[in-house]
Amino acid sequence: DQIVVLTKAAKIEWEKTHSNVCLIHNPIPFDIEKTARSQIFNRVIAIGRLEDQKGFDLLVQSWKRVSNKHLGWQLDIYGEGSKKEQLFDLIHKNDLEKSIKLKGVSKQIKKELLSSDFYVMSSRYEGLPMVLLESIACGLPIVSFDCPTGPAEIIENNDCGLLALNGDIVDLTEKIMLMIENPELRFEKSRVALNKAKLYTLDRIMSQWEGLFRTLKSR
């Protein structure tokens, strides 16, 4: 009766063969913070399965350049996966053991987000990344590859974060360092992030589903 998709890109693809396509995003699973970020932690966070899709190998290579200039900053990566040992080896090979930590799985990920300065996404591809929605709900600015699909639907015209050219480690490095070196930029993007998060509240998303069901029922 209806095809429901998560992203604008998916909607465009499905509309090539179907006329009954609509877009409803996933909701943010927890409450949105009320105030924008003002603290400095010298900490960047990344979250995801330790698999090729998430591009943490690219992030480690980028962080090598970042850490050479910003010695006091820490990158914490949360998640488990089959590439864990390879990432450990890559971190060791680049002498980054002091500034990159593989933290495993956390049951208090919102707490970890709230004690970070910004989020970085190095994925090769995505759907609609829930972790980016969770980040903006915490008022975290984002630095992300402009990978297909999802990041560019949340970060529009670099409003709540910075988009780097997809797969371009040099550009990702420049965007990370720009965010590190400009706390006022982070604070401003934090304010934008919290406002944008209101588009993804559970009440707002559920009202779209209820509207869809009412429409289908009336046909």
Side-chain angles (χ1 to χ4, degrees):
D1 295 304
Q2 190 77 30
I3 297 173
V4 183
V5 296
L6 284 174
T7 65
K8 295 173 185 175
K11 188 171 186 288
I12 290 170
E13 286 301 309
W14 277 97
E15 284 178 336
K16 292 177 181 178
T17 54
H18 295 74
S19 60
N20 60 336
V21 185
C22 70
L23 169 64
I24 301 180
H25 291 121
N26 280 335
I28 293 169
F30 46 65
D31 292 338
I32 298 168
E33 291 297 300
K34 292 183 170 52
T35 56
R37 313 308 300 275
S38 59
Q39 290 179 276
I40 295 176
F41 299 93
N42 288 4
R43 182 193 196 217
V44 179
I45 188 170
I47 304 167
R49 294 174 292 107
L50 305 185
E51 305 294 347
D52 285 335
Q53 176 199 345
K54 300 301 182 181
F56 291 131
D57 55 321
L58 306 178
L59 180 55
V60 170
Q61 295 173 61
S62 172
W63 194 260
K64 174 67 174 178
R65 297 171 170 86
V66 173
S67 65
N68 287 337
K69 189 172 181 180
H70 299 284
L71 298 177
W73 279 73
Q74 175 80 25
L75 169 63
D76 286 339
I77 300 174
Y78 286 85
E80 293 286 350
S82 67
K83 302 299 180 181
K84 186 173 184 176
E85 290 303 318
Q86 291 183 30
L87 286 172
F88 268 128
D89 291 343
L90 187 60
I91 291 167
H92 177 72
K93 178 181 176 181
N94 287 279
D95 297 317
L96 293 170
E97 295 96 330
K98 291 183 179 179
S99 65
I100 299 180
K101 302 296 183 186
L102 300 182
K103 306 286 282 189
V105 174
S106 172
K107 294 183 179 181
Q108 296 181 307
I109 205 63
K110 184 177 182 181
K111 177 183 175 182
E112 304 301 340
L113 288 167
L114 289 171
S115 58
S116 305
D117 292 276
F118 61 96
Y119 186 90
V120 63
M121 173 167 278
S122 54
S123 296
R124 291 178 166 88
Y125 60 92
E126 281 289 345
L128 180 71
M130 285 300 297
V131 70
L132 296 191
L133 298 182
E134 293 164 354
S135 295
I136 62 174
C138 292
L140 243 64
I142 299 162
V143 175
S144 175
F145 278 141
D146 188 9
C147 68
T149 57
E153 297 199 22
I154 297 171
I155 306 167
E156 300 171 294
N157 299 314
N158 289 332
D159 54 357
C160 62
L162 301 172
L163 287 174
L165 296 172
N166 189 30
D168 190 325
I169 295 172
V170 173
D171 195 33
L172 182 67
T173 302
E174 290 176 355
K175 297 295 194 300
I176 290 173
M177 291 200 291
L178 180 63
M179 199 74 87
I180 285 175
E181 293 164 5
N182 294 274
E184 289 302 322
L185 176 69
R186 298 199 303 270
F187 300 155
E188 172 57 30
K189 291 189 180 301
S190 174
R191 289 187 282 271
V192 176
L194 289 177
N195 284 328
K196 177 159 288 193
K198 296 173 185 176
L199 299 173
Y200 301 92
T201 62
L202 184 60
D203 286 346
R204 185 183 181 97
I205 300 301
M206 288 307 299
S207 70
Q208 294 175 33
W209 279 103
E210 290 168 354
L212 171 61
F213 295 149
R214 283 194 296 269
T215 299
L216 293 175
K217 185 178 178 181
S218 67
R219 287 178 184 173

